[in-house]
Structure formats: structure tokens, C-alpha cells
Amino acid sequence: MIAARFQVSRVGVVYLARGADEDAREKFSAFAESYRRWNAGLDHQLHVIFKGFRNSEDLIKGQEALGDLDYHALYLDDAGFDLGAYFIAAERVVHDELCFLNTASRICGPNWLAKLAANLDQPDVGMVGCTASYEAPQHPGLRNIPFPNVHLRSNAFMLRRDLFIAIRPKAPLVEKIDAHLLEHGVDNITRRIASMGLRTLLVGKNGRGYGPRMWPGSRTFRQGTQDNLLIADNQTDGYITAPVPEKRALFHLSWGDLAIRGLGVTAVRGSSDGDVLESADISGPAFNTNKASRRSRRRAPKR
């Protein structure tokens, strides 16, 4: 259900409903079910980006899959992939902070938005996310980052709106590789944040914010049973259903021998000047529903 009235909240949640995705309506329904099940713990406005639908009939079916959710709709063409759509949405909505969720996102626990916001409120933190990796894809003919390539994944992340607009690339995201490189390339979002002297944290379902050194032991992306995932997606699902040999391969791809030896990365290179910027060496404070931060203490509206 599209919101009949629009109230500006400090935090905006932007969900990407891409109709061209495989099993799109099933993904919409799964997100909506998880959104209803788990209270965000923080007052916010939900926005839904509708893009990639073949016709109006498919769009209507997609909206029906979201059921009675209260949201503000944004309609975009199917260009720019997920990150391109997020940048356009950031220009059109008015909030201090934005949380972006891709089509396959499913919320996995209570107070999920409050946990993200509480960690974003920590000193010198520029961005938080729900999954991360050291994976270093190598693209022939392009400059690549060797392993370990520290970056947050773009399935679910949160940052200040003005900061997100400031790091928007000048060139449009035309090819799929453009979106991939913005996530894990030499000038990726995590590096752009680091070049500003800001840290990135991975937030678990336990509410704890992990610096890059602690990512391999966070029990989130491609680790064990992933029991500390705050928000899941198709990639985390793929790991869970994979046979044991493939699980081991995926773990090694994302975390390598560093994780096996119990080691992690203690620095992130900035994209602009190449300086090494120290990241958090220990995990942040565990989320406390009574004393998390000035924002997480706000009472969330009943849904």
C-alpha cells in the first residue's frame, strides 16, 4: 500500500523492487514478510524503487506482492543497476541517513535498523553494512586490487545521505562491470569512504559493529551457519544450500588464509591519495535496546 501521507523522518529505508529479477515477486514477498515480522526499532520512512517491469500489469503484480506495506513509491527505468538507482533515489528523498536494501534482501532479526543506526553514530564511522568480504575479483584488462580487498557488499548498507551523494561517480553505470567495480574495484565505495578518514563497520544480528580486522570472525557472510546475519540475500542463501566442499571454496574466496589463521586486515586504503587509513581493530559495543544511541532510544511507530 502506497503511503497516503508523507512525513519526513530522520532515516529513510530504500528497498529496490526490480521486476526483471528472477523470481522477482517471490523476493518482494519475502522482503515484505520479513519487514512485517521484525520491528525496525527506529522511526523511519520506507521508500520502494520500482524498476525493470515489462509492463503495467507486471508492475501491479509486483506491488501486490508487497501487500499492505506503508511506503512511498519511486518509479525508475531499468538503467544504472542497483547502485545507480540508489544514487537517483538519494537525490529525490529527504532524510539525513539512508539504508539501502536490494531486491533479494530479507531482514533476519529485531531492531535491525536501530542496530545499523547505532553503529553509524559511532565516532568517525562513515558507512555500515550487513555483509562484507575480502574477495578480490580480477577483471582482465583492468586495474585490480589484490587480496585482501576490504569492502562492504551493496546488498544492505547505511550512510548519511549527503555523504552518499558526495561519493557518486561522475560517469553513469552503463555496464554491469561498472556496478561491480563501484562495490569492489580500486575506487570502490568503501575506499571512497576511507579516503575521507571515515571507517566502515559490519553490523551483525547481535548489534555489534565489527571493524575489517574482525570481519572473518563475525559469523556473517560465508562463515559457519551465518547465524549472526542481520540481513540475508541470495548470496548468503547460496552459501547455506551449497555442499560442504563448495562452502569451503566460498569461504576461502571471501576470507582466504587470513581467516583460517585467525588474522584480519587492520587498514583500508583510501581511493584518492592511496594513504593507509587505520580501521577499527576491535568490535564496537554490543547493541543495547535501552542505551544504544540517542537515535535508537526513539520509540518506533507500531506497524
Side-chain angles (χ1 to χ4, degrees):
M1 178 177 67
I2 300 176
R5 56 189 178 84
F6 181 80
Q7 291 183 328
V8 177
S9 301
R10 181 181 182 85
V11 176
V13 174
V14 180
Y15 172 69
L16 176 62
R18 184 172 183 265
D21 268 28
E22 183 178 356
D23 300 324
R25 289 200 294 273
E26 288 79 2
K27 292 175 181 177
F28 301 169
S29 295
F31 164 74
E33 181 181 352
S34 72
Y35 184 83
R36 294 187 197 95
R37 179 182 181 186
W38 300 112
N39 195 292
L42 186 67
D43 184 23
H44 66 281
Q45 172 72 39
L46 175 64
H47 303 269
V48 177
I49 299 172
F50 291 101
K51 61 173 292 189
F53 292 87
R54 293 179 301 177
N55 50 51
S56 58
E57 182 179 353
D58 278 355
L59 173 59
I60 291 172
K61 290 180 179 178
Q63 291 173 330
E64 290 175 346
L66 293 174
D68 60 353
L69 291 192
D70 190 18
Y71 63 85
H72 168 246
L74 297 166
Y75 300 97
L76 304 180
D77 59 34
D78 199 25
F81 305 94
D82 54 352
L83 288 170
Y86 297 159
F87 283 117
I88 294 174
E91 297 279 2
R92 297 187 183 182
V93 300
V94 183
H95 303 281
D96 293 337
E97 295 162 356
L98 293 172
C99 174
F100 296 98
L101 307 175
N102 74 5
T103 304
S105 293
R106 295 188 324 281
I107 300 160
C108 298
N111 300 311
W112 57 277
L113 188 59
K115 291 170 182 176
L116 288 168
N119 281 280
L120 186 60
D121 200 34
Q122 298 300 310
D124 302 321
V125 173
M127 180 170 64
V128 297
C130 297
T131 59
S133 179
Y134 289 175
E135 186 175 351
Q138 302 299 295
H139 304 287
L142 298 176
R143 183 184 170 202
N144 298 293
I145 302 175
F147 187 92
N149 176 19
V150 176
H151 63 279
L152 289 179
R153 296 180 62 244
S154 59
N155 70 309
F157 65 99
M158 183 175 181
L159 74 176
R160 296 196 310 272
R161 174 178 174 268
D162 59 349
L163 181 61
F164 189 55
I165 292 174
I167 63 174
R168 180 176 184 173
K170 295 180 180 179
L173 305 180
V174 178
E175 304 291 340
K176 185 69 172 178
I177 186 64
D178 299 330
H180 287 325
L181 292 176
L182 193 55
E183 181 183 77
H184 62 244
V186 294
D187 193 24
N188 64 53
I189 290 177
T190 302
R191 286 188 159 208
R192 292 181 182 212
I193 296 293
S195 70
M196 298 177 179
L198 299 172
R199 299 181 292 139
T200 53
L201 298 178
L202 166 64
V203 180
K205 185 163 62 176
N206 60 2
R208 196 174 291 275
Y210 300 89
R213 178 174 178 264
M214 306 298 291
W215 290 358
S218 62
R219 308 191 329 272
T220 57
F221 185 61
R222 292 177 175 173
Q223 300 169 29
T225 61
Q226 302 181 137
D227 58 290
N228 198 27
L229 273 177
L230 185 57
I231 296 179
D233 65 71
N234 55 323
Q235 295 296 320
T236 61
D237 291 346
Y239 172 84
I240 287 295
T241 58
V244 172
E246 187 176 343
K247 275 188 170 72
R248 290 172 178 162
L250 289 170
F251 174 88
H252 190 273
L253 189 66
S254 293
W255 306 113
D257 293 336
L258 288 174
I260 294 172
R261 301 201 311 269
L263 302 175
V265 174
T266 59
V268 183
R269 289 190 178 274
S271 61
S272 61
D273 54 14
D275 289 341
V276 175
L277 302 173
E278 293 302 318
S279 62
D281 287 343
I282 60 174
S283 56
F287 179 78
N288 185 315
T289 55
N290 295 319
K291 297 172 66 177
S293 74
R294 56 184 170 80
R295 287 173 298 176
S296 60
R297 287 197 296 268
R298 297 175 185 172
R299 186 175 182 181
K302 294 182 179 179
R303 291 191 268 102

